[in-house]
Amino acid sequence: MASLVTLTFAFLVLSILMAIVTAQDTVVETEKHSTGADASIGILIRLHLIRHGETQANVQNLVLGQGDSPLTDNGVAVARLAAASDMINGKTLRYWRTYCSDLYRAHRTARIVLGLEDQDGNSVDLPDVNLIVEPALRELAKGAREGYLKKLSYEEAMARRRRESEAEIDVPKLESTDEAWKRVKKWIDSIVKDASDHYYSSDETEEDQDNSSCDDGGDIEIDPKIYDVFALSHSALIRTMIHKMVDAELPSDYARTKEGSLTIPNLSRTIIDVRPYKNRDSPRPRWKPSLFRLTDVSHLSDVQTHGPPYL
C-alpha cells in the first residue's frame, strides 16, 4: 500500500512538472497568437538588416554558407559608397547598437560602412562606435554545397565531394531555415529585453507616463522611442528573417532570383520594426514585427527613390 501511495505521489509531481514545461513552450510557440490583452511598451526597435559587399565567391557563383571569401574590389568600392551616405553610415542616423556576423566578409563590410576602416584599409578608432561581432547573424550553413557552384544540387555536390576525397569526406554542417531562425530569434529577443530594460531605467519612461493621458482621462498616442539597430549579415539569413517575420506584408511583385527566392542585393538594407508589448498571459515582453523597408539600395545612389518604402 505504501508503495502505491509513493508511486501515485511521484506521478502527480511528474505531471505538474510536465505541465509547467509545456506551458513555457506554449508561450514561445504561440507568441503571435495570444488571446490576452496587449499593452504596448513605449519603444520600437528598428532593425536595419544589411547584406555584406560583393565577394569573389559571389562573382564565381559559388555557394558560401558558413565558409568565407574576401570582398572584391567592387565590393569594397560599393561599401565605401554606402559609408558616404548618411542614410546608413550612423553619422546622422545614430544607431543604438551595431552588430555584424562573425564571418570575415560581413565583418569587413560593417567596418567600412561604419567608418572603422579608412581608404587604405587601416583601422580607424571611433569611440562612439562599438561594433559587436554576433555569431547568431552568420549565414545559414549549406552543408555539402559549400564551396561548389550554385547550379549543383545537394546530391551532386555530395557526389563530387566523394570523388574528390581520398580519405573520409568532411561534409560541412547543414542547417535548416527553422534552425537558423531559432538562433537569430534568440538574438532579437535579447535586443528586445535590453531595449525594454534601458527604456524602463531611463527618465523618459516617467515623462511618457506623465503625458500618456489627457486632462479628461482619455488616452493619447505617444510616439515610441526608437532604438535603431545596425545588423550586417548575409542573404539567406536576412531572407529567412523576412519570411519568418513579415512574409504576409511582402508585395506580390518582389524581385526574385533565378531559383524564385527573394533577391537580397549586396549592401541592400531591409528595415523591420519590432514593437514590444506586454501581455497578461506572460510576464515577459513579447514583440510584433512590421515591414518598414524592403531591400532598399537608395543609399548607394545620389538619386533618391520615391513611392512606397518597399519599392
Side-chain angles (χ1 to χ4, degrees):
M1 183 67 178
S3 298
L4 181 60
V5 171
T6 302
L7 196 59
T8 302
F9 177 76
F11 178 79
L12 287 172
V13 171
L14 182 60
S15 299
I16 292 170
L17 290 174
M18 289 180 67
I20 292 172
V21 171
T22 301
Q24 289 175 339
D25 288 343
T26 303
V27 166
V28 175
E29 292 173 2
T30 62
E31 191 162 278
K32 295 182 180 178
H33 308 285
S34 175
T35 58
D38 297 347
S40 295
I41 297 174
I43 64 173
L44 184 149
I45 295 97
R46 180 158 285 168
L47 299 178
H48 300 253
L49 307 176
I50 302 155
R51 187 189 175 192
H52 62 78
E54 180 188 76
T55 66
Q56 291 180 9
N58 292 155
V59 174
Q60 296 166 356
N61 217 24
L62 300 177
V63 175
L64 265 179
Q66 295 187 356
D68 221 334
S69 175
L71 300 181
T72 62
D73 290 344
N74 181 63
V76 172
V78 176
R80 297 202 193 287
L81 187 61
S85 171
D86 288 343
M87 296 173 62
I88 196 173
N89 61 18
K91 293 178 181 178
T92 298
L93 172 65
R94 310 299 290 185
Y95 295 112
W96 177 58
R97 284 187 180 172
T98 54
Y99 295 88
C100 71
S101 158
D102 59 345
L103 296 176
Y104 174 77
R105 61 189 184 274
H107 187 211
R108 188 179 180 201
T109 304
R111 289 180 55 80
I112 293 172
V113 172
L114 295 172
L116 295 172
E117 179 181 309
D118 65 19
Q119 295 287 334
D120 298 321
N122 301 313
S123 295
V124 176
D125 183 24
L126 296 177
D128 58 341
V129 179
N130 177 29
L131 180 59
I132 302 168
V133 177
E134 176 53 67
L137 292 174
R138 64 166 39 199
E139 180 63 296
L140 271 72
K142 302 293 181 64
R145 296 183 68 221
E146 289 188 2
Y148 290 91
L149 291 170
K150 291 182 179 181
K151 67 180 182 180
L152 295 183
S153 68
Y154 195 87
E155 292 72 20
E156 289 171 333
M158 181 66 81
R160 182 166 295 188
R161 281 183 181 275
R162 291 195 182 99
R163 289 197 303 269
E164 295 174 352
S165 177
E166 296 179 357
E168 183 179 350
I169 61 171
D170 181 21
V171 181
K173 173 184 174 182
L174 178 63
E175 188 176 32
S176 69
T177 54
D178 285 341
E179 289 170 332
W181 169 242
K182 183 177 180 180
R183 63 171 158 90
V184 80
K185 183 181 178 296
K186 286 183 179 179
W187 171 74
I188 298 173
D189 288 341
S190 71
I191 296 291
V192 170
K193 180 182 183 303
D194 290 351
S196 300
D197 290 345
H198 178 271
Y199 174 72
Y200 280 117
S201 65
S202 67
D203 295 336
E204 294 180 52
T205 309
E206 295 181 4
E207 294 176 8
D208 288 349
Q209 290 174 345
D210 291 340
N211 296 326
S212 62
S213 61
C214 301
D215 292 339
D216 62 0
D219 291 338
I220 60 173
E221 286 291 327
I222 301 297
D223 290 337
K225 175 179 174 57
I226 298 177
Y227 288 78
D228 286 286
V229 176
F230 175 99
L232 204 139
S233 187
H234 308 265
S235 59
L237 187 70
I238 293 173
R239 186 181 299 114
T240 296
M241 295 172 73
I242 291 170
H243 285 304
K244 292 290 187 180
M245 297 171 77
V246 294
D247 189 70
E249 298 180 53
L250 296 181
S252 59
D253 59 346
Y254 63 74
R256 291 173 167 83
T257 64
K258 293 180 180 178
E259 296 77 20
S261 301
L262 171 65
T263 299
I264 312 291
N266 294 109
L267 267 304
S268 65
R269 176 183 58 163
T270 291
I271 302 177
I272 297 178
D273 287 343
V274 172
R275 187 70 184 262
Y277 68 94
K278 288 185 177 180
N279 184 278
R280 70 186 181 192
D281 294 339
S282 173
R284 297 182 290 112
R286 302 183 182 185
W287 47 270
K288 296 178 180 178
S290 61
L291 181 63
F292 183 77
R293 202 173 295 274
L294 179 64
T295 58
D296 174 53
V297 292
S298 59
H299 52 281
L300 302 178
S301 172
D302 293 334
V303 179
Q304 302 301 312
T305 58
H306 299 281
Y310 49 76
L311 295 180

